Amino acid sequence: MRPVYITGVGLHPFGRFPDLGLTALGVEAVRAALRDAGLGRGGFQAAFCGTVYGGVAAGHKVLTALGLSGVPIVNVEAGCASGGAALALGAGAVASGGADAVLVFGLEKMPRGMIRSSFFESWREEAGLAATPAYFALRAQRLMLDGDVTLEDLARVSVKNHRHGVANPHAMYRRAVSLEEVLASPVVCEPLRLLMLCAPNEGAAAVVLSARPAAPAIRVAAAVLRSHVAGSVLGEHTPLSGLTDERVPTPTEMAARAAYDDAGVGPRDLDVVEVQDTDSGREILSVEELGLCPPGGGGRWVRDGGGELGSRQPVNASGGLLARGEPLGASALAQIVELTWQLRGAAGSRQVPHARTALAHTVGRGANACAVILAR
Amino acid sequence: MADGRPIAPGLFDVDAGEPRLIAAECVACGRRQFPAAAVCPYCAADGTREIRVGPAGRLELYTMVLRAPPGYRGPVPYALGIVALDGGLSVVARLTETDATRLRPGLPVELVVEPLFTDDAGQRVVSYAFRAAAA
């Protein structure tokens, strides 16, 4: 297998854009990434597009609009990890020699309100079992019961990520919030408050992968997707890692282990990390599962200032999903864009000094998780 | 069973006035799943036997749902929880309790089958839920 490099990245900011169609969002991100890579028509041999709600041929429509169709185009769905799954497929195509360069992108215009998912059979919806934030709340309660995580710790995650988001011009929410403000925001599902949950929204992100490095050379040291094994989630119809049998590794633990092996690095070697923070509890669990703190140590981690910009190992310097919002197909690739900027030293006022090794993590319905390690 | 159409077939029944969930136990590894299916998700064995579980359970986790999620046809607010049943099976279920202060992890609960909503054809639809067990 040959090395795979990131040679171009592009983004459409995350937010709400009632005047723009889904294809237009994708066009902006793809155009920016190709410009960054110095590629045009004929410059890539395959394209992988992550989307969950984008419908039939979402990726094809973007490349058609740019006059870039004619290569194999695969639309990829893996829940919140869709963009990561697309990246893993693209990296495999380059590493194997099947393509010299590939375009990976993701795009989404999420419906407003509580996410509706065809994951649930209609009777589960009718019975009230398709309440996605409720599952996040159960997971947060589990963290609070099993470990030393407090309600204030959940709020601290939100305060941190919102503070980071102020410096990110591509984020949806760019306002710092206080601990008191988070705790006083409306309860959505006890113990989770509104400001502890990310907002579904719209956006697009794109990455060019190549067998030949650009300057500076940023290598995809690992790109791993893993789905759940039975028992790591609560029953086959409500997969949500972190709820059930602790003897069974979760999708995130499996993906992280394989990614660390592939890259030949461990959690301590990471300079900057982006993790899934669909809700505050998810970030704490992600940090534990990735080995950034000891098992059960996530509450202490956030109380001690873990993950803050300026700390040893910033987590979600971009503001994470809590500040950016979550367009499912695009969110994982926006992490890759952010980390590429960080490794290039081009992240502006949220730059992590001397960042050389980075990890991106997404996990979502399926259940599946993706771990990507980048190295400069 | 309360009068009305079950929300889905094969989920529950009532035997001599006592509601039960219809689960399946793997003939190879013995692990249980709900709803019942023919293949074991844990060991991939192509063989399970139908069993009845409940009505007694223990509440593991719970939260309150304040606004109706997509497709939900019943009243709000309602509680949603994880209930541990005998034999190592946990299920996610609606709880009849609407006051979170009366819920706690470890609370003994019992299965009930009761009307949840009336469908578009005017028929009552019954579903399963758990309530605090009688002391």
Side-chain angles (χ1 to χ4, degrees):
Chain A
M1 303 288 259
R2 56 183 180 170
V4 178
Y5 301 94
I6 292 178
T7 59
V9 293
L11 206 60
H12 186 289
F14 288 7
R16 284 290 182 187
F17 310 99
D19 300 332
L20 288 176
L22 180 67
T23 299
L25 301 182
V27 161
E28 180 169 325
V30 166
R31 190 174 256 165
L34 291 174
R35 194 187 312 122
D36 191 31
L39 290 186
R41 198 209 298 245
F44 57 94
Q45 293 83 49
F48 300 90
C49 171
T51 185
V52 179
Y53 290 82
V56 176
H60 300 67
K61 289 158 82 173
V62 171
L63 294 190
T64 300
L66 287 166
L68 296 172
S69 59
V71 298
I73 306 167
V74 181
N75 296 291
V76 180
E77 186 277 312
C80 299
S82 295
L87 189 91
L89 289 172
V94 174
S96 69
D100 287 330
V102 302
L103 172 67
V104 181
F105 61 112
L107 66 172
E108 211 77 70
K109 280 179 86 78
M110 297 294 294
R112 286 181 182 274
M114 205 184 289
I115 293 178
R116 185 163 204 165
S117 172
S118 60
F119 179 81
F120 293 107
E121 298 96 326
S122 60
W123 75 264
R124 286 183 187 274
E125 288 197 334
E126 292 180 348
L129 303 183
T132 299
Y135 292 99
F136 299 164
L138 296 176
R139 184 172 56 208
Q141 187 180 47
R142 167 84 183 264
L143 284 169
M144 294 169 75
L145 286 172
D146 289 359
D148 69 341
V149 176
T150 65
L151 188 63
E152 286 72 23
D153 295 336
L154 295 174
R156 284 184 181 97
V157 171
S158 185
V159 169
K160 169 178 77 72
N161 290 358
H162 279 96
R163 182 163 58 234
H164 291 174
V166 172
N168 186 350
H170 310 287
M172 183 177 190
Y173 301 109
R174 300 190 59 198
R175 190 174 69 81
V177 295
S178 68
L179 193 74
E180 294 69 28
E181 195 178 347
V182 176
L183 292 171
S185 64
V187 172
V188 175
C189 285
E190 191 67 42
L192 296 179
R193 273 63 178 160
L194 187 63
L195 287 173
M196 298 175 183
L197 288 153
C198 81
N201 65 353
E202 308 172 15
V207 174
V208 176
L209 302 177
S210 173
R212 283 180 297 278
I218 293 171
R219 190 166 54 88
V220 180
V224 175
L225 180 71
R226 288 288 183 274
S227 74
H228 75 290
V229 291
S232 67
V233 289
L234 176 83
E236 299 319 292
H237 299 277
T238 53
L240 187 71
S241 57
L243 269 187
T244 51
D245 193 337
E246 295 192 336
R247 294 161 300 179
V248 181
T250 65
T252 293
E253 288 167 342
M254 291 191 293
R257 201 172 296 162
Y260 290 139
D261 280 352
D262 285 358
V265 302
R268 290 181 155 276
D269 300 317
L270 304 173
D271 300 315
V272 55
V273 180
E274 292 274 312
V275 306
Q276 183 87 15
D277 59 333
T278 337
D279 66 277
S280 297
R282 177 70 255 181
E283 173 160 323
I284 288 177
L285 182 60
S286 299
V287 164
E288 293 187 11
E289 290 177 325
L290 293 168
L292 306 184
C293 72
R300 173 154 192 190
W301 174 81
V302 68
R303 279 197 297 284
D304 288 352
E308 298 272 359
L309 262 174
S311 74
R312 191 185 64 80
Q313 192 172 64
V315 171
N316 287 332
S318 68
L321 302 176
L322 287 168
R324 288 187 312 191
E326 189 186 25
L328 296 190
S331 61
L333 292 171
Q335 293 178 329
I336 302 299
V337 173
E338 169 73 16
L339 294 176
T340 299
W341 286 335
Q342 289 283 356
L343 296 190
R344 286 176 176 173
S349 60
R350 62 188 188 285
Q351 179 67 46
V352 175
H354 316 298
R356 301 193 71 84
T357 308
L359 180 142
H361 159 253
T362 42
V363 57
R365 194 147 272 155
N368 34 216
C370 197
V372 178
I373 296 175
L374 305 181
R376 174 172 177 176
Chain B
M1 188 181 305
D3 288 341
R5 165 175 75 80
I7 195 164
L11 295 176
F12 50 81
D13 64 8
V14 178
D15 180 23
E18 197 151 77
R20 306 273 199 208
L21 294 179
I22 303 172
E25 187 175 83
C26 176
V27 296
C29 75
R31 291 195 70 165
R32 295 175 168 191
Q33 59 175 317
F34 172 79
V39 174
C40 175
Y42 298 97
C43 75
D46 197 1
T48 61
R49 67 182 184 87
E50 205 173 270
I51 57 170
R52 298 292 189 274
V53 294
R58 190 176 47 79
L59 187 62
E60 295 187 309
L61 302 168
Y62 66 92
T63 188
M64 297 298 297
V65 180
L66 307 179
R67 286 169 44 195
Y72 177 59
R73 306 282 301 265
V76 287
Y78 64 95
L80 186 79
I82 309 287
V83 174
L85 302 165
D86 290 341
L89 178 65
S90 288
V91 299
V92 57
R94 199 172 50 84
L95 309 170
T96 59
E97 186 57 67
T98 56
D99 178 358
T101 64
R102 288 205 282 261
L103 297 171
R104 59 177 170 78
L107 183 75
V109 293
E110 62 189 14
L111 182 68
V112 293
V113 168
E114 59 174 27
L116 182 62
F117 64 94
T118 300
D119 70 15
D120 297 337
Q123 192 174 13
R124 287 212 303 182
V125 176
V126 298
S127 188
Y128 63 95
F130 286 86
R131 69 180 175 205

